[in-house]
Amino acid sequence: MNLKMIGIDYTTAQIDIRQSFSFTKKAMASAMDQIQKNSEIRGCVLISTCNRMELWLSLAKDSKIVLSEFLCGLKGLSAQEYAAYLVERENRQAVEHLFYLSAGLKSQIMGEDQILTQVKEALAFAREQECADQVLEVLFRMAVTAGKRVKSHVVLDKANFSAAHHAVEFLKSLGYRLKGKCCLVIGNGEMGKLTAQALMEEGADVAVTVRQYRSGMVNIPKGAKRMDYGERYQYIPRCDFVVSATASPNFTITREGILGCCKEVHVKKGQEQVFLDLAVPRDMEPAIARLEHVRYFDMDSLPVELQSEQMRYQYQQAEEILKEEIQKFEDWQQCRDLAPRIQQIGEDAAKELIWRLEKPLRHLELSEQEKELFQKRVQDTAAKVVGKLLFELRDQAEQETLRRTVEIMENIYKSS
C-alpha cells in the first residue's frame, strides 16, 4: 500500500486561504479527470467541505509525486506560497486520520454528524468518476462504518450539531434573539436546509432562496417560504438576519448589491442587521462588514468548542472503538496477498461444477453453441459466488482463520 493524503483545514489556515483550495462538484470532476491521466496514480478521492479540503491518493510503489506541488498544480497555485498551510499524511497516519475524521473527532464541532455524510459522499462521487481503486474503496467504506459505530455507541456532548446549528448557538451566545425575527437563507443545499431548519426551531420567520430554473425541483424545509434567488436584494431590507450557505464560486451577496437596494432602509431602521456566511469559498463579500448597521460573521468567527472532562471521557470511548476498526482495515490490508489465490479457488470450483454438469447437459436439447454459452455463464457465475464468499470471509474473519481456510481449499483442488 502506498497511500497518501494532503489537506488544508480550519486548524491550519483561515478562510481566505482555505477557499483557494475548495472544489465545486464540477471542478472536482475536472480535477479527477486530470488525475486519472497520471500513470503513477491508482485511485483518488476528494473531500471538500466548508472547513476542509483533502486529496487522497493511492499511488504506485515507485511514485515520485510531490503532493504539495501536485495539489497546487491542480488549483493553479504556487506550492512555494501555500505549502506551509498544507498537511501531508501517509499510510498508517493517513488511515488513522480518516477514521477519526469520519467519527467527527476532528471537526470544529466535536462529534458533529455532517462530516460522516460528507466522507460517504466523497467516496460515492469518486466511484461515479471511476477514480476509487480497491484500497481507497475499502478504506473509505470501513472508515464510514467505524464512524457509524461511534455514533451508535458514544453520545458526545456536542453530537448531532451541524455547522448550521453551531452558528445559531453562536448567535444566541452573543445575545441575539431569533424568535419572530425575519431571516433569509440563501442556498437550498444540505447546509442551507439545515440552517433554515435550525432558525425555524428557534421560532424565526425564514425564507429560502431557490434558483428560478430549479424552483419546481427543489424541496425546502416545511414551514419556510420559497423565494426566487434573483429577488434576494429586494427582500434583504426587511431582514434581521441574512445567512448564505451555497457551493457557488461567486459572491451571492456584495457590498454594491446591498447599497443599491438597501441603503435608505438601513438608515431608517437604525438597527443592526446580521450577515452570516457559512460557505467556503465565501458567499458574501467581506467589504459588507464596513456598511453602517451591519455585523458580519464567517466560518472562522465560530468558536472551537473546549472539551469538558465528560467530553474527554467520551472521546476516549470513541478512540477505543476506532482502534478496533483501524485494526480491521490493517488486517484486510495484510491479507491482500491472498486475492489471487482466492480468485484461483473460485476458478477451480467453477471448473468442477461444469464437469459435474456435463452428464445432465447431455439430456438437454441444446446446440453445441448454446451448450458452450451456458457452460461459460455457469462457470463465470460459480467463480464469482465462491470468490465473493471468500472475500467476505477476508473482510470479516480473523487473518489466521482466513489463511487456513484458503490453504484447505487449495489442497482440495490440488488433490482432485
Side-chain angles (χ1 to χ4, degrees), residues 141 332 342 384-398 402:
R141 178 164 53 84
W332 172 85
I342 290 173
K384 288 177 181 177
V385 169
V386 174
K388 181 180 179 180
L389 289 172
L390 289 174
F391 278 117
E392 284 296 322
L393 185 64
R394 181 190 66 177
D395 289 345
Q396 298 184 37
E398 296 291 334
L402 173 62

Side-chain angles (χ1 to χ4, degrees), residues 4-7 65-69 83 86-90 93-94:
K4 294 185 179 181
M5 64 77 62
I6 184 168
I65 289 177
V66 179
L67 291 186
S68 58
E69 293 179 0
L86 302 172
V87 176
E88 298 182 27
R89 301 178 181 89
E90 60 181 74
Q93 188 183 24

Side-chain angles (χ1 to χ4, degrees), residues 130-146:
E130 298 182 352
C131 284
D133 71 339
Q134 187 187 32
V135 172
L136 288 172
E137 172 76 35
V138 174
L139 171 63
F140 271 70
R141 178 164 53 84
M142 294 182 76
V144 169
T145 298

Side-chain angles (χ1 to χ4, degrees), residues 64-127:
K64 304 297 182 185
I65 289 177
V66 179
L67 291 186
S68 58
E69 293 179 0
F70 185 78
L71 174 60
C72 288
L74 289 175
K75 300 298 291 183
L77 302 170
S78 165
Q80 186 174 2
E81 182 179 354
Y82 288 97
Y85 301 104
L86 302 172
V87 176
E88 298 182 27
R89 301 178 181 89
E90 60 181 74
N91 299 329
R92 169 78 189 204
Q93 188 183 24
V95 169
E96 289 181 349
H97 169 76
L98 185 62
F99 276 70
Y100 277 66
L101 178 68
S102 299
L105 300 189
K106 294 209 169 188
S107 295
Q108 192 171 10
I109 309 155
M110 183 67 69
E112 59 104 354
D113 290 339
Q114 200 172 5
I115 186 61
L116 182 60
T117 300
Q118 290 164 339
V119 170
K120 187 176 180 180
E121 289 176 347
L123 175 60
F125 190 81
R127 284 177 186 148

Side-chain angles (χ1 to χ4, degrees), residues 96-198:
E96 289 181 349
H97 169 76
L98 185 62
F99 276 70
Y100 277 66
L101 178 68
S102 299
L105 300 189
K106 294 209 169 188
S107 295
Q108 192 171 10
I109 309 155
M110 183 67 69
E112 59 104 354
D113 290 339
Q114 200 172 5
I115 186 61
L116 182 60
T117 300
Q118 290 164 339
V119 170
K120 187 176 180 180
E121 289 176 347
L123 175 60
F125 190 81
R127 284 177 186 148
E128 290 174 12
Q129 306 300 313
E130 298 182 352
C131 284
D133 71 339
Q134 187 187 32
V135 172
L136 288 172
E137 172 76 35
V138 174
L139 171 63
F140 271 70
R141 178 164 53 84
M142 294 182 76
V144 169
T145 298
K148 289 179 179 177
R149 188 180 164 200
V150 169
K151 301 295 182 189
S152 299
H153 292 82
V154 182
V155 182
L156 294 166
D157 288 342
K158 298 298 178 181
N160 301 317
F161 259 48
S162 64
H165 284 85
H166 190 42
V168 169
E169 291 300 311
F170 169 63
L171 293 175
K172 287 165 61 180
S173 74
L174 296 178
Y176 291 107
R177 295 187 63 213
L178 295 165
K179 187 173 183 178
K181 299 297 183 180
C182 182
C183 302
L184 174 64
V185 175
I186 300 172
N188 49 67
E190 185 66 20
M191 180 70 84
K193 290 174 182 176
L194 287 171
T195 302
Q197 190 64 49

